Structure formats: structure tokens, C-alpha cells
Amino acid sequence: SITTVQRRHRHSLPAAIQPQNYPLEEHYQSKAKKYWDGFYKRHKNKFFKDRHYLEKDWGNYFSDDSCCPNGNPKVVLEVGCGAGNTIFPLVSHSEFREERVNAFVCNVVNDDLSRNVNPSSVDVVTLIFMLSAVSPKKMPLILQNIKAVLKPDGYILVCDYAIGDFAQVKLLDRNQMIGDSFYVRGDGTCSFYFSEDFLSTLFLEAGFSTVDINIHLKQIKNRSQDITMNR
């Protein structure tokens, strides 16, 4: 699911979507750092491929031409950078360079982003397969945290798992659901699967308007097992 949302002033909004209470949800969220540290210790930077498609899909949001007549480059905040599979393709360099990239550790649910980023200074925020790792109960806290550092005319770009994904079906079959559309994998990491209604309502309630939202479906064929996977 790829979404573009823009910051706006808050108006009268519909009631929040309230997930049910699941006893294991809080357990896995409280241990999330442990499980994700284990994930990256095992896979390092080999699990995810570099996301070169983002420049193709969203290049106009990263371009400096339309918004920076004085020559100042856009400020992009990537939340949940992992091994750099998003940021390195965007800066066109596979090595970390302090003059272009400022990396810092932050729990965006609890830590104030404005301690590391100036308020209302960011042009574009990317959330690439990041929100899905967080309980839907905590997602509004993340969006309010981001809103404090985003410019009034800034954008949030979201790419994440959509409901009906083959991986969700497998997790459901294995009875690994720990919340509404929220699942735990075998390694302890969690994944939420978004519907368009949930995602648009989530941002609307946080004071954003949706510019564009759509679901991308890719079918992968496993010929040896004769399985077609919708991703």
C-alpha cells in the first residue's frame, strides 16, 4: 500500500478505530527492541533489497526544483531506517556520510523527535514498512510526534503491507494473530496489515489529508509448490 498524506489543520473528524484487547500484543511490543535487534544481528543488511523504486514512484516529492528556489535542498526524515535500504538509494551513495545524513536512535512512540530535529523543519517524512511493526494503538502517537517536526505544507510518504497479503494469510492460518490485523512472526517481530479505510482514518484523525492512496498487487508464482502468492 502506498500513500501520500499532507499536513493540514485539524477539523471535526470521525471516531477513532479502536482495536480489541489482546493479551499478547503488549508483550511483543514491549520486547520489540529485543526481537528487531535479533533480526538485524542475523540478517545484517542482506534481508531487504534497496528500494530504488521510490525515486520512480515519488521522485517529485524529493525533487528540489519546485519548492526550493533559493537553492536549499529538501529535508527528508526517514523513520525506521533499518540498514539504509531506503535512504541510501535516495542520496545515491551506498556509504554513510555525516555531511548529508544525520542518523540517531529514537523510539518514535515515546521519544520527542524535536530533540534531534528542529520543529517544522522537515519537507518529507518516509514511513517505509515501519508503521506495520507497531501496535495500531500506538500509531497515533507516532504521527503526532512526526507532525511536530514536519513543515505545515510537508508530506508523509507511506509504503506498507496491505490486508490480504499472502504473509498475513499464512500467519492467520498459524494462529499468530495478536491484535486486529496485527500478527507476530516466528522471530518475535510483529506486522500489521492495512486496509485503505484504516490508513486514511488514522491520518485524518492525526490532522492530515490524503493526497493519494492505492494498493499495489504483485502475484508471485512458486512453481515447485504450485502456489500463487498475492503480495
Side-chain angles (χ1 to χ4, degrees), residues 127 129-134 139 142-143 158 160 194 202-203:
L127 296 174
F129 296 103
M130 178 273 160
L131 272 183
S132 56
V134 180
M139 292 177 187
I142 295 174
L143 298 188
V158 182
D160 223 315
F194 293 91
L202 174 70
F203 278 90

Side-chain angles (χ1 to χ4, degrees), residues 175-190:
N175 196 31
Q176 291 178 236
M177 186 170 70
I178 58 173
D180 293 336
S181 299
F182 195 44
Y183 301 80
V184 61
R185 303 184 184 95
D187 60 5
T189 61
C190 296

Side-chain angles (χ1 to χ4, degrees), residues 45-63:
N45 64 344
K46 306 299 182 183
F47 191 85
F48 300 109
K49 295 180 180 179
D50 284 351
R51 296 164 178 136
H52 296 283
Y53 59 85
L54 296 179
E55 181 67 31
K56 176 184 176 182
D57 292 339
W58 289 330
N60 59 309
Y61 292 103
F62 301 118
S63 172

Side-chain angles (χ1 to χ4, degrees), residues 119-170:
S120 301
S121 65
V122 175
D123 295 288
V124 179
V125 175
T126 59
L127 296 174
I128 312 299
F129 296 103
M130 178 273 160
L131 272 183
S132 56
V134 180
S135 166
K137 299 175 184 176
K138 298 180 180 180
M139 292 177 187
L141 299 176
I142 295 174
L143 298 188
Q144 290 303 322
N145 202 357
I146 290 173
K147 192 175 182 180
V149 299
L150 189 64
K151 291 180 179 178
D153 58 349
Y155 291 88
I156 299 179
L157 308 179
V158 182
C159 181
D160 223 315
Y161 301 109
I163 197 166
D165 188 277
F166 181 80
Q168 180 192 18
V169 175
K170 296 295 289 184

